[in-house]
Amino acid sequence: MQLEYFLLLAAALFCIGVYGLVTSRNVIRVLMSIELMLNAVNLNLMAFSNFLDPQGIKGQVFAVFVITIAAAEAAVGLAIVLSIYRNRDTVDMEQFNLLKW
Amino acid sequence: MNLAEGVQLVSLLLLSAMMLGAALGVVLLSNIVYSAFLLGGVFVSISGLYILLNAGFVAAAQVLIYVGAVNVLILFGIMLVNKQRDFTPIPNAWIGKLATGVVCLGLFALLGAMVLGTPWALSTEAAAGDAAIMLIGEHFFSDFLLPFELASILLLMALVGAIILARREFLPDEDLDQPADQVLTLPERPRELVSAGSTGNTADESGDR
């Protein structure tokens, strides 16, 4: 039964991340929501690794890769935010209509 | 995990309450600095959950990378970008928020029904425990060697890309007039040079700068 607890927890964290991703207007908060979603995925991987594959632990290897990619994503995302802030002088998502038609 | 069943359950409850509360705070609080610090709380709680899942190495990596690097990076980003000015309100913004909330609750219900309805093939083997570090190392250098090397290349690319994107571009007017020899250098703020003709205090001052 413990596996289901962890999976439900990860699902709740993922849904909170999706809500923050869609509704927040500050770009940095959007980046934080993406980190929440990545962590939810990691929690899923670790739960599967512990309960379904306790001797092979491929899930932990996958989680380490996801952590690496998330760190790279945060660095590049914040660089893009800084660059946009310099050009448009705002961090409001509603005013980033560069790619909107 | 050689803790008693009850201790595991209580710590799971405490950690999940901490994690969900902090995650809701990240999303819902209006002050973004509070959100960033609560994000650190989410990361630390998830690291505790990893320890409950017999994964000490990944828990340590989580604290080091997320709390030590990503969260500090986000705090620096807030510090560089923060503008004490409220966003202009959008009319009928609550409809979007309500719709998003309904969609997220529906997604959670769907995921929950899937999780509870699936017959998981639970393994009865003992967990690897502290031998997990050696197992992870073996995976990295045998069957996951190519992704491991690709991850290092990706980190290098992200490093270079972040520096290129975030560097301050500044084109002084005189650079536009000089062709050829300066074309290949990236535009950058010119350094203040010590003028050769000046003597005494002025030269010292500009040298100190």
Side-chain angles (χ1 to χ4, degrees), chain A residues 6-33:
Chain A
F6 283 100
L7 295 185
L8 283 177
L9 204 56
L13 191 62
F14 190 84
C15 292
I16 292 173
V18 170
Y19 180 80
L21 184 73
V22 176
T23 58
S24 49
R25 295 184 62 187
N26 196 327
V27 189
I28 302 209
R29 202 188 297 265
V30 171
L31 283 179
M32 289 196 240
S33 306

Side-chain angles (χ1 to χ4, degrees), chain B:
Chain B
M1 178 62 57
N2 44 16
L3 287 176
E5 197 72 26
V7 179
Q8 283 193 45
L9 198 61
V10 169
S11 24
L12 173 64
L13 277 180
L14 276 178
L15 285 170
S16 42
M18 259 175 69
M19 191 191 79
L20 288 182
L24 282 175
V26 168
V27 171
L28 296 178
L29 284 186
S30 60
N31 191 337
I32 188 136
V33 182
Y34 296 163
S35 296
F37 280 108
L38 282 176
L39 189 69
V42 176
F43 292 154
V44 170
S45 325
I46 288 179
S47 156
L49 287 174
Y50 288 171
I51 291 177
L52 274 185
L53 287 170
N54 301 308
F57 173 72
V58 188
Q62 165 95 5
V63 172
L64 280 177
I65 296 177
Y66 271 114
V67 184
V70 173
N71 205 10
V72 172
L73 194 67
I74 285 177
L75 275 171
F76 268 90
I78 290 171
M79 193 180 76
L80 289 173
V81 157
N82 205 2
K83 223 176 191 184
Q84 302 296 337
R85 198 176 63 194
D86 288 338
F87 297 135
T88 49
I90 294 179
N92 295 327
W94 62 272
I95 297 180
K97 286 193 178 182
L98 189 68
T100 315
V102 169
V103 167
C104 287
L105 279 180
L107 183 63
F108 178 68
L110 197 67
L111 287 173
M114 188 273 294
V115 164
L116 294 177
T118 308
W120 299 105
L122 287 180
S123 167
T124 52
E125 292 171 325
D130 284 341
I133 302 178
M134 278 168 280
L135 280 173
I136 290 174
E138 279 172 14
H139 278 306
F140 273 159
F141 286 100
S142 56
D143 45 351
F144 287 101
L145 184 61
L146 182 64
F148 185 68
E149 301 294 338
L150 282 181
S152 62
I153 294 177
L154 179 100
L155 278 178
L156 179 68
M157 281 160 51
L159 185 70
V160 176
I163 292 174
I164 295 280
L165 279 175
R167 76 187 274 151
R168 180 178 297 275
E169 290 187 14
F170 182 75
L171 274 174
D173 291 337
E174 62 264 25
D175 269 5
L176 297 177
D177 301 333
Q178 298 171 354
D181 56 335
Q182 294 220 339
V183 165
L184 291 179
T185 60
L186 282 173
E188 198 178 8
R189 183 185 294 276
R191 298 196 180 89
E192 289 189 21
L193 299 174
V194 181
S195 55
S198 62
T199 55
N201 289 331
T202 46
D204 284 345
E205 279 172 9
S206 28
D208 284 344
R209 245 182 266 147

Side-chain angles (χ1 to χ4, degrees), chain A residues 6-80:
Chain A
F6 283 100
L7 295 185
L8 283 177
L9 204 56
L13 191 62
F14 190 84
C15 292
I16 292 173
V18 170
Y19 180 80
L21 184 73
V22 176
T23 58
S24 49
R25 295 184 62 187
N26 196 327
V27 189
I28 302 209
R29 202 188 297 265
V30 171
L31 283 179
M32 289 196 240
S33 306
I34 294 175
E35 296 294 331
L36 286 184
M37 291 163 65
L38 283 166
N39 268 290
V41 173
N42 263 347
L43 195 55
N44 255 341
L45 284 174
M46 302 292 278
F48 285 138
S49 158
N50 188 42
F51 287 105
L52 305 185
D53 181 26
Q55 284 298 316
I57 56 167
K58 292 210 176 61
Q60 296 194 21
V61 180
F62 270 68
V64 171
F65 281 127
V66 174
I67 289 177
T68 313
I69 308 293
E73 176 263 343
V76 177
L78 276 170
I80 291 174

